[in-house]
Amino acid sequence: MQERRAFPRLPIRLKVMLRLSSGETIGLRSVDISKQGMQLLSDYDADVGDTFPLAFSLPRVGDEGFEHIQLMGEVMHVVYDGSFGGYRLGFRFKSFHRDSRERLEGCLDQYLNQHLRRGHPA
Protein backbone atom coordinates (compact mmCIF):
# COMPACT_ATOMS: atom_id res chain seq x y z
CA MET A 1 0.00 0.00 0.00
CA GLN A 2 1.42 3.38 -1.01
CA GLU A 3 1.43 6.17 1.53
CA ARG A 4 -0.26 9.34 0.28
CA ARG A 5 0.41 12.70 1.88
CA ALA A 6 -0.88 16.13 0.98
CA PHE A 7 2.61 17.66 1.35
CA PRO A 8 6.05 16.10 0.92
CA ARG A 9 8.24 15.46 3.93
CA LEU A 10 11.65 17.08 3.86
CA PRO A 11 14.55 15.56 5.83
CA ILE A 12 15.52 18.67 7.79
CA ARG A 13 17.36 18.27 11.11
CA LEU A 14 16.40 20.89 13.69
CA LYS A 15 16.47 21.35 17.43
CA VAL A 16 12.84 21.70 18.50
CA MET A 17 11.83 23.01 21.90
CA LEU A 18 8.73 21.41 23.44
CA ARG A 19 7.05 22.85 26.54
CA LEU A 20 5.55 20.31 28.92
CA SER A 21 2.38 20.97 30.91
CA SER A 22 4.63 21.43 33.98
CA GLY A 23 6.23 24.43 32.24
CA GLU A 24 9.54 22.61 31.73
CA THR A 25 11.04 22.93 28.25
CA ILE A 26 12.84 20.00 26.63
CA GLY A 27 14.88 19.89 23.43
CA LEU A 28 14.07 17.29 20.77
CA ARG A 29 15.52 16.60 17.32
CA SER A 30 13.52 16.57 14.10
CA VAL A 31 13.68 13.74 11.56
CA ASP A 32 11.57 15.41 8.89
CA ILE A 33 9.05 18.17 8.41
CA SER A 34 6.20 19.09 6.09
CA LYS A 35 3.65 21.89 5.98
CA GLN A 36 1.31 19.78 8.10
CA GLY A 37 3.58 18.21 10.68
CA MET A 38 6.93 16.84 11.74
CA GLN A 39 8.53 13.77 13.25
CA LEU A 40 10.67 14.23 16.36
CA LEU A 41 13.09 11.99 18.25
CA SER A 42 12.55 11.97 22.00
CA ASP A 43 13.76 10.21 25.13
CA TYR A 44 10.19 10.56 26.41
CA ASP A 45 7.00 9.03 25.11
CA ALA A 46 3.65 10.79 24.87
CA ASP A 47 0.03 9.86 24.37
CA VAL A 48 -1.68 10.16 21.01
CA GLY A 49 -3.86 13.26 21.16
CA ASP A 50 -1.57 15.19 23.55
CA THR A 51 -0.88 18.74 22.42
CA PHE A 52 2.27 20.72 23.12
CA PRO A 53 3.70 24.12 22.25
CA LEU A 54 6.64 23.67 19.85
CA ALA A 55 9.25 26.22 18.81
CA PHE A 56 12.16 26.02 16.38
CA SER A 57 14.27 28.15 14.07
CA LEU A 58 14.30 27.17 10.40
CA PRO A 59 17.28 28.39 8.33
CA ARG A 60 16.25 30.37 5.26
CA VAL A 61 17.53 29.21 1.88
CA GLY A 62 20.11 31.52 0.34
CA ASP A 63 20.98 33.73 3.30
CA GLU A 64 22.18 33.54 6.87
CA GLY A 65 18.83 34.29 8.48
CA PHE A 66 16.32 32.16 10.31
CA GLU A 67 12.55 31.97 10.52
CA HIS A 68 11.41 31.52 14.12
CA ILE A 69 8.36 29.27 14.23
CA GLN A 70 5.96 28.77 17.17
CA LEU A 71 2.95 26.49 17.02
CA MET A 72 0.81 23.95 18.80
CA GLY A 73 1.37 20.36 17.75
CA GLU A 74 -0.79 17.30 18.36
CA VAL A 75 0.79 13.87 18.81
CA MET A 76 -0.52 11.59 16.07
CA HIS A 77 1.70 8.54 16.62
CA VAL A 78 4.34 7.25 19.00
CA VAL A 79 6.76 4.48 18.03
CA TYR A 80 9.67 3.14 20.06
CA ASP A 81 12.81 3.02 17.89
CA GLY A 82 15.35 0.54 19.25
CA SER A 83 18.09 1.73 16.88
CA PHE A 84 17.75 5.23 18.34
CA GLY A 85 16.97 4.07 21.88
CA GLY A 86 14.01 6.43 22.15
CA TYR A 87 10.69 7.40 20.66
CA ARG A 88 9.63 8.76 17.30
CA LEU A 89 6.78 11.21 17.87
CA GLY A 90 4.68 12.21 14.88
CA PHE A 91 3.13 15.66 15.27
CA ARG A 92 0.36 17.34 13.29
CA PHE A 93 0.42 21.13 13.36
CA LYS A 94 -2.81 22.41 14.93
CA SER A 95 -2.40 26.16 15.29
CA PHE A 96 0.33 28.70 14.66
CA HIS A 97 1.51 31.73 16.61
CA ARG A 98 1.04 34.96 14.63
CA ASP A 99 2.50 34.58 11.12
CA SER A 100 4.46 31.37 11.82
CA ARG A 101 2.39 29.39 9.29
CA GLU A 102 3.32 31.74 6.43
CA ARG A 103 6.99 31.80 7.45
CA LEU A 104 7.12 27.98 7.73
CA GLU A 105 5.39 27.44 4.38
CA GLY A 106 7.63 29.99 2.64
CA CYS A 107 10.78 28.31 3.94
CA LEU A 108 9.57 24.82 3.06
CA ASP A 109 8.64 25.97 -0.47
CA GLN A 110 12.21 27.26 -0.88
CA TYR A 111 13.67 23.98 0.45
CA LEU A 112 11.43 21.93 -1.85
CA ASN A 113 12.34 24.03 -4.92
CA GLN A 114 16.04 23.67 -4.11
CA HIS A 115 15.57 19.91 -3.55
CA LEU A 116 13.81 19.50 -6.92
CA ARG A 117 16.47 21.59 -8.75
CA ARG A 118 19.07 19.12 -7.49
CA GLY A 119 17.11 16.31 -9.14
CA HIS A 120 15.62 14.72 -6.03
CA PRO A 121 12.01 13.52 -6.17
CA ALA A 122 9.47 15.28 -3.95
Side-chain angles (χ1 to χ4, degrees):
M1 184 165 116
Q2 184 177 358
E3 181 178 351
R4 298 190 193 277
R5 295 190 175 271
F7 298 101
R9 293 181 183 189
L10 295 170
I12 299 173
R13 307 293 183 253
L14 303 167
K15 182 174 183 178
V16 178
M17 303 308 293
L18 179 148
R19 192 171 65 239
L20 301 170
S21 58
S22 67
E24 178 185 2
T25 301
I26 59 173
L28 308 176
R29 291 173 287 155
S30 69
V31 174
D32 56 40
I33 187 169
S34 77
K35 291 181 180 181
Q36 291 182 321
M38 66 190 329
Q39 184 176 181
L40 301 176
L41 298 176
S42 173
D43 293 332
Y44 309 96
D45 68 345
D47 292 322
V48 170
D50 285 351
T51 59
F52 297 98
L54 303 173
F56 54 94
S57 293
L58 191 59
R60 289 192 297 253
V61 173
D63 69 30
E64 309 250 338
F66 290 86
E67 294 292 353
H68 302 290
I69 311 296
Q70 295 179 324
L71 56 91
M72 290 296 293
E74 178 182 6
V75 177
M76 300 304 290
H77 71 265
V78 179
V79 177
Y80 182 77
D81 183 339
S83 65
F84 160 65
Y87 298 90
R88 289 179 178 263
L89 306 177
F91 281 87
R92 176 176 63 95
F93 300 149
K94 287 189 68 155
S95 62
F96 290 82
H97 182 70
R98 295 191 179 151
D99 63 345
S100 285
R101 177 188 299 274
E102 293 79 15
R103 288 183 283 136
L104 172 69
E105 289 179 356
C107 260
L108 293 181
D109 286 341
Q110 289 178 334
Y111 277 102
L112 184 58
N113 289 336
Q114 184 181 58
H115 197 70
L116 292 174
R117 280 195 305 272
R118 291 182 179 166
H120 300 287

